[in-house]
Amino acid sequence: MTEQYSKLFSPGKIGNLELKNRIVKAPQSTGLSNRDGTVSERLVRHYKELARGGTGLIIVEYTYIDNEASKSAYCQLGISDNEHIAGLSWLVSSIHDEGAKVGIQIEHCGRQKFLGTPPIKAPSRIPWPTLYEQSGVVPEELTIEEIKQIIEDFGDAAKRAQTAGFDLVEIHAAHGYLITNFLSPHTNKRTDLYGGTLENRMRFLVEVIKNVKAKVGDQFPITMRINGTDYEPDGITIDESVEVCKQAEKLGVLAFHVSGGDHHMMNYQVSPMTVPNGPNVWAAEEIKRSVSVPIIASGSINTPKFAEDILKEEKADFVSLGRPLLADPYFPLKAKDGRSEDIIPCIRCNDGCMERTFFNFRSIRCSVNPTMGREGELTITPSSTPKNIVVVGGGPAGMEAARVSALRGHKVTLVEKRKLGGALLTSRVSPFKADIHLLENYYAAQIEKLEIKVVHEEATLDSIRDGDFDAAVVAVGKVPNTLYMKGMESSKVVQAIDVLSQKAETGQNVVIIGGGMTGVETAIFLANQGKNVVIIDKASEIMSNELVTFKISYFEFLAKKNVVIYTSVEGKTVTKEAVTFVDKAGNEQSIPADTIIFATGYTANAELSSQLKNQEQLEIYQIGDGHRPGKIYDAVHEGYLTGLRI
C-alpha cells in the first residue's frame, strides 16, 4: 500500500462497526430496482462491482419507507414492507461477499417527489418550484395523525434493514426531503408543535430517531445525512444544524454524513464543475467541532489527494464519494496501490448520472464509465483476431476507442495533428471547467501505458491507405456552423470555438450570437477579461436545453459580470461598429460591437469518412462529433462500444 494516502486507508469505526478504510460510498438513487421497489439483478451487479473496488462502507441508495407518499422516483428501491426483505438480504450478501460493509438509507420524499403523482405530503403547502412548474401540484399539509404514522414507518423500515442484514441504517435528513422540510423554515410554516422554533421544527426528527432506536436496539449503528444548510435565503442555518446534530447525538446517532442544498439549490447538492470542489466540507468541519461522533464529509471529493487532505486536516473522519465511484468503482484500490493516474475521473458533468437519465425516468449511467448501470454486459475481452487499427482524431471518442482496442490486443495507431484532447482542450479553457483536465491526464496516462503509437500529423486518404490497416476509426470532430448576416464580410466575425481555444482575439465590445452552452461559456470567458459582452438568441430563453445544475451557476456568473442578454431576437445586419437585430414584433435595435462571435452549433466533419467509404479493404467506423455532434458522454460511450466491436 502506498503511504501517500495513509489516512484514507487507515481503519475506522462507526459505533461498534469496524471499517477497513475511510471511504464511504454515498447513497445515490440509480433507477436499477424493479418497479415495485424490489431488488433486481442489475442492482446487485452494480453494487457487487462497487464492493469489489475496495470501498470500506457502501450506503445503499435511499429507500422509501411506506406505500403512501414516501416514494420519490421511478424504480426506486423500497423498504416499505416485509416483502422487500428477501431481495435486500440478497443485496447485503452480495456486497459482503466482496469484503465491504453495507448500510442503507431510509427516507420519505416529502415535497420532492420526482414522480409528480398524488399524494404529495409535506409539513406545509410549500411546493418544490420545479415540480410546481411542471404539474401545478401543491403538497398536502400533513396532519398530526399522519406525522405519527410516518414516524412509525421510519422505525419499521429500520427494523427491516436490520433483519435483512445491513450493518447500519442512515436516516435521510438532508437535500430537501421530508425531514429537511420540517427542519427548514423555508418549507415549514406550521404553527403547531412541529413548526416555529428550532425545537419544534426538529421535533419530527427527534421522534423518528427515538422510534428507530426503540425498534433496532442500542447496538445497531444509526447514522444521519444532514445539511449544513440548504442554501435557501430563509432556510436552515449552520448554527441550527449544529444544534440538531448535538441533540441527535444525545439520542444515539453515531455519525453525521454532512451535505447541503435541496433540489431548488441543486448546484450545492450535486455540484457541477462550475462549483469549487468540496462545497460542503466547511459544514462538516463546523459540525465536527461540536460533536464527538464521527463526521462524514461529502460532495465533489473527486481525487484521493483531496480526500486525504480533508482527513489529515481533521475536517472530517470519513469521506463519502458518490459520482466518483460511479466513474470508477475501483477508485479505492487504484489509489491504495499508488495508481491514481489510472482512476477514471468524475468530471462533475452531471450528464450521465442525472440530466439525460434520472431527470428523464431512466436508470442512471456515467459519462466517463460506459459500464456503469450495465455491469457484466460490456466487459472488455481479448479479440480472437487482433487487427492493425488506425484511429484518426485524438479527442475523447478517439482516445477511448484507441484505449479499448489496445486492451483487446489490437495494434493501434492514433493520428492527431494537434495536441491530444480534441474538444476537451477548448472545454477546459474556462476556470470553471478545470475538472476536464483530469480526464485529459487520465487518457494521456492510458495511451502511454498501453504503448499506443501516436502520430502528430494530418491523416489523409493516402496515409491511411499506405499504412496497411485493417480498420479505421474516424473521430475527427465537428465544424462550427456560421449564419449569414448582411455586412458581415466587412466586420470582424469569429467562431466561439476559436475564442475559447485562444486562436482568435476580440475587441472590447463583443456580441455573441447564440445562447447555448458554448455561447454562454464564451461570454463568461470574455467578461472575466473585462470585455463588454452581449448575448443575442432567437429562442425565448438562453440555455433552454442545457444541464440544470450548470444553468444555476452560469446565470450567477452572467449576473455578476453584467452580461447583457437579448432573447426572442434575430441578428439582421452588422457593420464595423454595431450589430442590428430585430425582435418578433419587427422592432429593430442596434448595439455597439467591434467583434461578432458565432456560437450557433456544429456540424459533423464527414470529409475523411466520405473519402474512405470506398476502401473495400478497410473496416470504417465513424464516431464522436465527426459522426454526430454531442457531449463527452456521447463521445466516450461511442468510443468504448466501437472498441468492443472491432
Side-chain angles (χ1 to χ4, degrees), residues 239-498:
D239 291 338
E240 290 179 323
S241 292
V242 167
E243 291 304 312
V244 170
C245 290
K246 287 164 69 173
Q247 180 64 28
E249 181 183 12
K250 291 177 183 177
L251 295 171
V253 172
L254 295 175
F256 296 105
H257 190 175
V258 183
S259 187
D262 58 16
H263 284 19
H264 183 231
M265 301 299 292
M266 190 174 281
N267 56 332
Y268 294 102
Q269 178 191 338
V270 192
S271 54
M273 64 180 77
T274 54
V275 174
N277 291 93
N280 298 307
V281 173
W282 67 272
E285 184 178 15
E286 189 74 19
I287 292 173
K288 182 172 169 59
R289 294 193 189 106
S290 301
V291 299
S292 58
V293 297
I295 297 296
I296 307 169
S298 70
S300 289
I301 304 171
N302 61 348
T303 67
K305 183 183 184 307
F306 186 31
E308 179 76 7
D309 289 346
I310 291 168
L311 298 175
K312 280 189 173 178
E313 293 166 12
E314 298 184 348
K315 295 178 179 179
D317 304 285
F318 295 86
V319 291
S320 81
L321 312 180
R323 291 169 294 169
L325 290 175
L326 301 183
D328 195 337
Y330 291 86
F331 178 117
L333 287 182
K334 290 176 181 178
K336 185 177 180 181
D337 292 343
R339 297 188 294 118
S340 295
E341 73 280 2
D342 292 336
I343 295 173
I344 305 171
C346 170
I347 57 174
R348 299 193 296 154
C349 65
N350 289 345
D351 191 11
C353 57
M354 292 172 58
E355 299 282 354
R356 69 173 71 203
T357 55
F358 191 77
F359 289 171
N360 289 288
F361 305 99
R362 298 170 62 189
S363 303
I364 71 169
R365 304 292 303 279
C366 175
S367 291
V368 296
N369 177 10
T371 66
M372 189 269 128
R374 297 187 65 183
E375 289 83 359
E377 296 179 36
L378 301 173
T379 306
I380 297 174
T381 56
S383 172
S384 58
T385 54
K387 296 178 180 179
N388 186 17
I389 299 171
V390 62
V391 177
V392 183
M399 290 189 291
E400 180 69 358
R403 182 187 75 88
V404 175
S405 296
L407 287 171
R408 296 190 60 225
H410 296 300
K411 179 183 177 182
V412 181
T413 300
L414 179 58
V415 181
E416 169 57 62
K417 62 182 177 180
R418 291 181 287 268
K419 181 181 177 182
L420 292 179
L424 300 180
L425 301 177
T426 54
S427 295
R428 70 167 175 91
V429 69
S430 300
F432 44 80
K433 278 197 161 183
D435 293 64
I436 297 291
H437 194 50
L438 298 174
L439 190 60
E440 286 181 56
N441 290 343
Y442 164 75
Y443 276 122
Q446 303 318 300
I447 288 168
E448 181 179 354
K449 287 189 173 187
L450 291 168
E451 299 181 345
I452 294 171
K453 182 181 178 181
V454 179
V455 177
H456 288 290
E457 63 181 36
E458 184 166 2
T460 65
L461 175 61
D462 289 339
S463 66
I464 293 174
R465 194 161 45 196
D466 294 343
D468 195 28
F469 296 110
D470 301 306
V473 178
V474 183
V476 291
K478 56 196 175 187
V479 292
N481 296 325
T482 298
L483 299 179
Y484 177 76
M485 293 173 60
K486 184 178 179 181
M488 62 184 287
E489 298 89 351
S490 61
S491 305
K492 184 170 183 180
V493 178
V494 297
Q495 289 288 343
I497 193 169
D498 292 328

Side-chain angles (χ1 to χ4, degrees), residues 622-640:
Q622 186 180 2
I623 67 171
D625 287 341
H627 174 223
R628 181 174 55 249
K631 298 183 184 296
I632 289 174
Y633 178 105
D634 305 291
V636 173
H637 281 238
E638 201 164 2
Y640 186 92

